Amino acid sequence: MLGHVMSGPQRICNPRPSTGLRYYCYRKGHSFGQHVDQSIRGGPKEETEYTALIYLNGQEESPYDLSGGETVFWKTAKAMLTTFSPTKGDLLLHAHGRRCLMHEGAEVKKGCKYLFRADVFYKGE
């Protein structure tokens, strides 16, 4: 079994995905405004600490011709930090809960954006 110790609050990490793998389909005009992903509790001393997004298509391929739909991370509500453009097969893993950066799913301008989302659980000491 994989295990490691994270910096910061001590956590013994035997990461496991949440049981709920979610499928998202964002169509033209859809977006998901600025937000932070909240942690959820699992078993005793267990909570989610990361969001895992798996992109099923991207901006580079046809016939899907996706335009827009980037994941945008914000330093503050008005100051952008970075943008992640979807590419088929990419995995974007980012912290959530108390360490989550504000982020958003930018508007899909053309086509559809397809992805899976899972949360990753960690167990505390």
Side-chain angles (χ1 to χ4, degrees), residues 34-58:
Q34 290 182 341
H35 65 283
V36 294
D37 297 345
Q38 298 299 317
S39 290
I40 57 171
R41 296 232 178 251
K45 296 185 180 182
E46 186 179 57
E47 68 180 339
T48 59
E49 293 202 19
Y50 290 93
T51 298
L53 300 174
I54 302 166
Y55 294 89
L56 303 177
N57 71 326

PDB file of all heavy atoms in Angstrom, residues 34-58:
ATOM      1  N   GLN A  34     -16.680  31.289  -9.639  1.00  0.00           N
ATOM      2  CA  GLN A  34     -15.632  31.205  -8.619  1.00  0.00           C
ATOM      3  C   GLN A  34     -16.156  30.486  -7.376  1.00  0.00           C
ATOM      4  O   GLN A  34     -17.249  30.775  -6.884  1.00  0.00           O
ATOM      5  CB  GLN A  34     -15.156  32.595  -8.236  1.00  0.00           C
ATOM      6  CG  GLN A  34     -14.365  33.276  -9.321  1.00  0.00           C
ATOM      7  CD  GLN A  34     -13.873  34.650  -8.882  1.00  0.00           C
ATOM      8  OE1 GLN A  34     -14.372  35.248  -7.942  1.00  0.00           O
ATOM      9  NE2 GLN A  34     -12.880  35.150  -9.587  1.00  0.00           N
ATOM     10  N   HIS A  35     -15.336  29.561  -6.878  1.00  0.00           N
ATOM     11  CA  HIS A  35     -15.706  28.786  -5.698  1.00  0.00           C
ATOM     12  C   HIS A  35     -14.470  28.106  -5.129  1.00  0.00           C
ATOM     13  O   HIS A  35     -13.415  28.110  -5.745  1.00  0.00           O
ATOM     14  CB  HIS A  35     -16.768  27.723  -6.058  1.00  0.00           C
ATOM     15  CG  HIS A  35     -16.269  26.680  -6.998  1.00  0.00           C
ATOM     16  ND1 HIS A  35     -16.118  26.908  -8.359  1.00  0.00           N
ATOM     17  CD2 HIS A  35     -15.852  25.409  -6.786  1.00  0.00           C
ATOM     18  CE1 HIS A  35     -15.647  25.817  -8.932  1.00  0.00           C
ATOM     19  NE2 HIS A  35     -15.470  24.894  -7.999  1.00  0.00           N
ATOM     20  N   VAL A  36     -14.618  27.515  -3.952  1.00  0.00           N
ATOM     21  CA  VAL A  36     -13.608  26.631  -3.386  1.00  0.00           C
ATOM     22  C   VAL A  36     -14.286  25.281  -3.142  1.00  0.00           C
ATOM     23  O   VAL A  36     -15.480  25.225  -2.843  1.00  0.00           O
ATOM     24  CB  VAL A  36     -12.974  27.173  -2.082  1.00  0.00           C
ATOM     25  CG1 VAL A  36     -12.172  28.433  -2.352  1.00  0.00           C
ATOM     26  CG2 VAL A  36     -14.022  27.418  -1.026  1.00  0.00           C
ATOM     27  N   ASP A  37     -13.533  24.204  -3.310  1.00  0.00           N
ATOM     28  CA  ASP A  37     -14.051  22.864  -3.057  1.00  0.00           C
ATOM     29  C   ASP A  37     -13.890  22.564  -1.575  1.00  0.00           C
ATOM     30  O   ASP A  37     -12.794  22.712  -1.021  1.00  0.00           O
ATOM     31  CB  ASP A  37     -13.288  21.820  -3.879  1.00  0.00           C
ATOM     32  CG  ASP A  37     -13.447  22.026  -5.379  1.00  0.00           C
ATOM     33  OD1 ASP A  37     -14.354  22.772  -5.798  1.00  0.00           O
ATOM     34  OD2 ASP A  37     -12.662  21.429  -6.134  1.00  0.00           O
ATOM     35  N   GLN A  38     -14.964  22.152  -0.936  1.00  0.00           N
ATOM     36  CA  GLN A  38     -14.941  21.858   0.492  1.00  0.00           C
ATOM     37  C   GLN A  38     -14.532  20.409   0.752  1.00  0.00           C
ATOM     38  O   GLN A  38     -14.841  19.521  -0.041  1.00  0.00           O
ATOM     39  CB  GLN A  38     -16.329  22.108   1.100  1.00  0.00           C
ATOM     40  CG  GLN A  38     -16.793  23.540   0.987  1.00  0.00           C
ATOM     41  CD  GLN A  38     -15.878  24.503   1.718  1.00  0.00           C
ATOM     42  OE1 GLN A  38     -15.443  24.239   2.835  1.00  0.00           O
ATOM     43  NE2 GLN A  38     -15.580  25.635   1.093  1.00  0.00           N
ATOM     44  N   SER A  39     -13.860  20.188   1.864  1.00  0.00           N
ATOM     45  CA  SER A  39     -13.537  18.832   2.291  1.00  0.00           C
ATOM     46  C   SER A  39     -14.795  18.153   2.813  1.00  0.00           C
ATOM     47  O   SER A  39     -15.695  18.815   3.329  1.00  0.00           O
ATOM     48  CB  SER A  39     -12.506  18.853   3.425  1.00  0.00           C
ATOM     49  OG  SER A  39     -11.260  19.270   2.950  1.00  0.00           O
ATOM     50  N   ILE A  40     -14.816  16.840   2.661  1.00  0.00           N
ATOM     51  CA  ILE A  40     -15.895  16.057   3.257  1.00  0.00           C
ATOM     52  C   ILE A  40     -15.270  14.989   4.141  1.00  0.00           C
ATOM     53  O   ILE A  40     -14.148  14.549   3.915  1.00  0.00           O
ATOM     54  CB  ILE A  40     -16.829  15.423   2.202  1.00  0.00           C
ATOM     55  CG1 ILE A  40     -16.052  14.541   1.228  1.00  0.00           C
ATOM     56  CG2 ILE A  40     -17.613  16.486   1.457  1.00  0.00           C
ATOM     57  CD1 ILE A  40     -16.932  13.729   0.302  1.00  0.00           C
ATOM     58  N   ARG A  41     -15.981  14.606   5.164  1.00  0.00           N
ATOM     59  CA  ARG A  41     -15.496  13.584   6.087  1.00  0.00           C
ATOM     60  C   ARG A  41     -15.870  12.205   5.557  1.00  0.00           C
ATOM     61  O   ARG A  41     -16.935  12.005   5.010  1.00  0.00           O
ATOM     62  CB  ARG A  41     -16.100  13.779   7.463  1.00  0.00           C
ATOM     63  CG  ARG A  41     -15.672  15.085   8.089  1.00  0.00           C
ATOM     64  CD  ARG A  41     -15.117  14.827   9.469  1.00  0.00           C
ATOM     65  NE  ARG A  41     -14.657  16.078  10.047  1.00  0.00           N
ATOM     66  CZ  ARG A  41     -13.384  16.360  10.223  1.00  0.00           C
ATOM     67  NH1 ARG A  41     -12.470  15.513   9.883  1.00  0.00           N
ATOM     68  NH2 ARG A  41     -13.024  17.501  10.745  1.00  0.00           N
ATOM     69  N   GLY A  42     -14.940  11.271   5.769  1.00  0.00           N
ATOM     70  CA  GLY A  42     -15.201   9.874   5.424  1.00  0.00           C
ATOM     71  C   GLY A  42     -15.346   9.097   6.705  1.00  0.00           C
ATOM     72  O   GLY A  42     -16.232   9.361   7.498  1.00  0.00           O
ATOM     73  N   GLY A  43     -14.414   8.186   6.943  1.00  0.00           N
ATOM     74  CA  GLY A  43     -14.402   7.418   8.183  1.00  0.00           C
ATOM     75  C   GLY A  43     -13.785   8.228   9.299  1.00  0.00           C
ATOM     76  O   GLY A  43     -13.530   9.427   9.159  1.00  0.00           O
ATOM     77  N   PRO A  44     -13.499   7.559  10.435  1.00  0.00           N
ATOM     78  CA  PRO A  44     -12.873   8.240  11.567  1.00  0.00           C
ATOM     79  C   PRO A  44     -11.552   8.896  11.163  1.00  0.00           C
ATOM     80  O   PRO A  44     -10.700   8.262  10.545  1.00  0.00           O
ATOM     81  CB  PRO A  44     -12.635   7.114  12.578  1.00  0.00           C
ATOM     82  CG  PRO A  44     -13.576   6.033  12.179  1.00  0.00           C
ATOM     83  CD  PRO A  44     -13.750   6.146  10.696  1.00  0.00           C
ATOM     84  N   LYS A  45     -11.397  10.161  11.497  1.00  0.00           N
ATOM     85  CA  LYS A  45     -10.182  10.949  11.211  1.00  0.00           C
ATOM     86  C   LYS A  45      -9.830  10.963   9.726  1.00  0.00           C
ATOM     87  O   LYS A  45      -8.668  11.105   9.365  1.00  0.00           O
ATOM     88  CB  LYS A  45      -9.002  10.434  12.026  1.00  0.00           C
ATOM     89  CG  LYS A  45      -9.163  10.584  13.521  1.00  0.00           C
ATOM     90  CD  LYS A  45      -7.906  10.158  14.225  1.00  0.00           C
ATOM     91  CE  LYS A  45      -8.052  10.314  15.719  1.00  0.00           C
ATOM     92  NZ  LYS A  45      -6.824   9.951  16.423  1.00  0.00           N
ATOM     93  N   GLU A  46     -10.799  10.815   8.871  1.00  0.00           N
ATOM     94  CA  GLU A  46     -10.552  10.770   7.430  1.00  0.00           C
ATOM     95  C   GLU A  46     -11.333  11.900   6.757  1.00  0.00           C
ATOM     96  O   GLU A  46     -12.495  12.114   7.069  1.00  0.00           O
ATOM     97  CB  GLU A  46     -11.014   9.413   6.892  1.00  0.00           C
ATOM     98  CG  GLU A  46     -10.686   9.177   5.454  1.00  0.00           C
ATOM     99  CD  GLU A  46     -11.153   7.803   4.995  1.00  0.00           C
ATOM    100  OE1 GLU A  46     -12.352   7.522   5.111  1.00  0.00           O
ATOM    101  OE2 GLU A  46     -10.313   7.041   4.520  1.00  0.00           O
ATOM    102  N   GLU A  47     -10.648  12.609   5.872  1.00  0.00           N
ATOM    103  CA  GLU A  47     -11.316  13.654   5.114  1.00  0.00           C
ATOM    104  C   GLU A  47     -10.645  13.812   3.755  1.00  0.00           C
ATOM    105  O   GLU A  47      -9.515  13.398   3.556  1.00  0.00           O
ATOM    106  CB  GLU A  47     -11.328  14.985   5.861  1.00  0.00           C
ATOM    107  CG  GLU A  47      -9.981  15.636   6.013  1.00  0.00           C
ATOM    108  CD  GLU A  47     -10.041  16.959   6.767  1.00  0.00           C
ATOM    109  OE1 GLU A  47     -11.109  17.573   6.834  1.00  0.00           O
ATOM    110  OE2 GLU A  47      -9.004  17.373   7.289  1.00  0.00           O
ATOM    111  N   THR A  48     -11.376  14.434   2.826  1.00  0.00           N
ATOM    112  CA  THR A  48     -10.809  14.665   1.505  1.00  0.00           C
ATOM    113  C   THR A  48      -9.913  15.896   1.557  1.00  0.00           C
ATOM    114  O   THR A  48     -10.183  16.846   2.286  1.00  0.00           O
ATOM    115  CB  THR A  48     -11.908  14.867   0.447  1.00  0.00           C
ATOM    116  OG1 THR A  48     -12.726  15.976   0.820  1.00  0.00           O
ATOM    117  CG2 THR A  48     -12.758  13.622   0.283  1.00  0.00           C
ATOM    118  N   GLU A  49      -8.822  15.832   0.777  1.00  0.00           N
ATOM    119  CA  GLU A  49      -7.891  16.951   0.722  1.00  0.00           C
ATOM    120  C   GLU A  49      -7.569  17.388  -0.691  1.00  0.00           C
ATOM    121  O   GLU A  49      -6.964  18.433  -0.882  1.00  0.00           O
ATOM    122  CB  GLU A  49      -6.601  16.598   1.454  1.00  0.00           C
ATOM    123  CG  GLU A  49      -6.827  16.442   2.943  1.00  0.00           C
ATOM    124  CD  GLU A  49      -5.563  16.620   3.736  1.00  0.00           C
ATOM    125  OE1 GLU A  49      -4.594  17.200   3.230  1.00  0.00           O
ATOM    126  OE2 GLU A  49      -5.564  16.182   4.894  1.00  0.00           O
ATOM    127  N   TYR A  50      -7.925  16.592  -1.675  1.00  0.00           N
ATOM    128  CA  TYR A  50      -7.637  16.932  -3.067  1.00  0.00           C
ATOM    129  C   TYR A  50      -8.826  16.648  -3.952  1.00  0.00           C
ATOM    130  O   TYR A  50      -9.591  15.727  -3.703  1.00  0.00           O
ATOM    131  CB  TYR A  50      -6.434  16.129  -3.604  1.00  0.00           C
ATOM    132  CG  TYR A  50      -5.126  16.548  -2.995  1.00  0.00           C
ATOM    133  CD1 TYR A  50      -4.623  15.903  -1.882  1.00  0.00           C
ATOM    134  CD2 TYR A  50      -4.398  17.605  -3.536  1.00  0.00           C
ATOM    135  CE1 TYR A  50      -3.429  16.292  -1.310  1.00  0.00           C
ATOM    136  CE2 TYR A  50      -3.201  18.001  -2.970  1.00  0.00           C
ATOM    137  CZ  TYR A  50      -2.729  17.342  -1.860  1.00  0.00           C
ATOM    138  OH  TYR A  50      -1.547  17.742  -1.303  1.00  0.00           O
ATOM    139  N   THR A  51      -8.942  17.449  -4.998  1.00  0.00           N
ATOM    140  CA  THR A  51      -9.887  17.209  -6.081  1.00  0.00           C
ATOM    141  C   THR A  51      -9.082  16.689  -7.257  1.00  0.00           C
ATOM    142  O   THR A  51      -8.043  17.267  -7.603  1.00  0.00           O
ATOM    143  CB  THR A  51     -10.587  18.523  -6.508  1.00  0.00           C
ATOM    144  OG1 THR A  51     -11.331  19.031  -5.391  1.00  0.00           O
ATOM    145  CG2 THR A  51     -11.508  18.308  -7.682  1.00  0.00           C
ATOM    146  N   ALA A  52      -9.540  15.610  -7.862  1.00  0.00           N
ATOM    147  CA  ALA A  52      -8.904  15.052  -9.059  1.00  0.00           C
ATOM    148  C   ALA A  52      -9.878  15.213 -10.226  1.00  0.00           C
ATOM    149  O   ALA A  52     -10.997  14.715 -10.178  1.00  0.00           O
ATOM    150  CB  ALA A  52      -8.572  13.576  -8.856  1.00  0.00           C
ATOM    151  N   LEU A  53      -9.463  15.962 -11.234  1.00  0.00           N
ATOM    152  CA  LEU A  53     -10.263  16.157 -12.442  1.00  0.00           C
ATOM    153  C   LEU A  53      -9.569  15.435 -13.594  1.00  0.00           C
ATOM    154  O   LEU A  53      -8.386  15.664 -13.847  1.00  0.00           O
ATOM    155  CB  LEU A  53     -10.399  17.644 -12.778  1.00  0.00           C
ATOM    156  CG  LEU A  53     -11.059  18.526 -11.724  1.00  0.00           C
ATOM    157  CD1 LEU A  53     -10.985  19.993 -12.141  1.00  0.00           C
ATOM    158  CD2 LEU A  53     -12.504  18.108 -11.505  1.00  0.00           C
ATOM    159  N   ILE A  54     -10.298  14.578 -14.277  1.00  0.00           N
ATOM    160  CA  ILE A  54      -9.774  13.846 -15.425  1.00  0.00           C
ATOM    161  C   ILE A  54     -10.540  14.329 -16.653  1.00  0.00           C
ATOM    162  O   ILE A  54     -11.756  14.155 -16.743  1.00  0.00           O
ATOM    163  CB  ILE A  54      -9.947  12.331 -15.258  1.00  0.00           C
ATOM    164  CG1 ILE A  54      -9.248  11.866 -13.975  1.00  0.00           C
ATOM    165  CG2 ILE A  54      -9.411  11.592 -16.490  1.00  0.00           C
ATOM    166  CD1 ILE A  54      -9.628  10.477 -13.544  1.00  0.00           C
ATOM    167  N   TYR A  55      -9.812  14.954 -17.572  1.00  0.00           N
ATOM    168  CA  TYR A  55     -10.431  15.535 -18.763  1.00  0.00           C
ATOM    169  C   TYR A  55     -10.588  14.473 -19.847  1.00  0.00           C
ATOM    170  O   TYR A  55      -9.633  13.796 -20.216  1.00  0.00           O
ATOM    171  CB  TYR A  55      -9.598  16.717 -19.271  1.00  0.00           C
ATOM    172  CG  TYR A  55      -9.601  17.856 -18.281  1.00  0.00           C
ATOM    173  CD1 TYR A  55      -8.648  17.931 -17.271  1.00  0.00           C
ATOM    174  CD2 TYR A  55     -10.583  18.835 -18.329  1.00  0.00           C
ATOM    175  CE1 TYR A  55      -8.668  18.956 -16.344  1.00  0.00           C
ATOM    176  CE2 TYR A  55     -10.609  19.860 -17.402  1.00  0.00           C
ATOM    177  CZ  TYR A  55      -9.656  19.921 -16.412  1.00  0.00           C
ATOM    178  OH  TYR A  55      -9.685  20.933 -15.490  1.00  0.00           O
ATOM    179  N   LEU A  56     -11.803  14.331 -20.350  1.00  0.00           N
ATOM    180  CA  LEU A  56     -12.112  13.315 -21.347  1.00  0.00           C
ATOM    181  C   LEU A  56     -12.001  13.839 -22.771  1.00  0.00           C
ATOM    182  O   LEU A  56     -12.020  13.057 -23.720  1.00  0.00           O
ATOM    183  CB  LEU A  56     -13.511  12.747 -21.106  1.00  0.00           C
ATOM    184  CG  LEU A  56     -13.709  12.148 -19.702  1.00  0.00           C
ATOM    185  CD1 LEU A  56     -15.136  11.682 -19.529  1.00  0.00           C
ATOM    186  CD2 LEU A  56     -12.718  11.027 -19.460  1.00  0.00           C
ATOM    187  N   ASN A  57     -11.915  15.131 -22.922  1.00  0.00           N
ATOM    188  CA  ASN A  57     -11.659  15.746 -24.234  1.00  0.00           C
ATOM    189  C   ASN A  57     -10.958  17.072 -23.994  1.00  0.00           C
ATOM    190  O   ASN A  57     -10.767  17.484 -22.855  1.00  0.00           O
ATOM    191  CB  ASN A  57     -12.950  15.916 -25.049  1.00  0.00           C
ATOM    192  CG  ASN A  57     -13.876  16.992 -24.493  1.00  0.00           C
ATOM    193  OD1 ASN A  57     -13.961  17.189 -23.290  1.00  0.00           O
ATOM    194  ND2 ASN A  57     -14.581  17.668 -25.368  1.00  0.00           N
ATOM    195  N   GLY A  58     -10.559  17.710 -25.078  1.00  0.00           N
ATOM    196  CA  GLY A  58      -9.835  18.957 -24.910  1.00  0.00           C
ATOM    197  C   GLY A  58      -9.968  19.866 -26.103  1.00  0.00           C
ATOM    198  O   GLY A  58     -10.712  19.593 -27.038  1.00  0.00           O
TER     199      GLY A  58
END
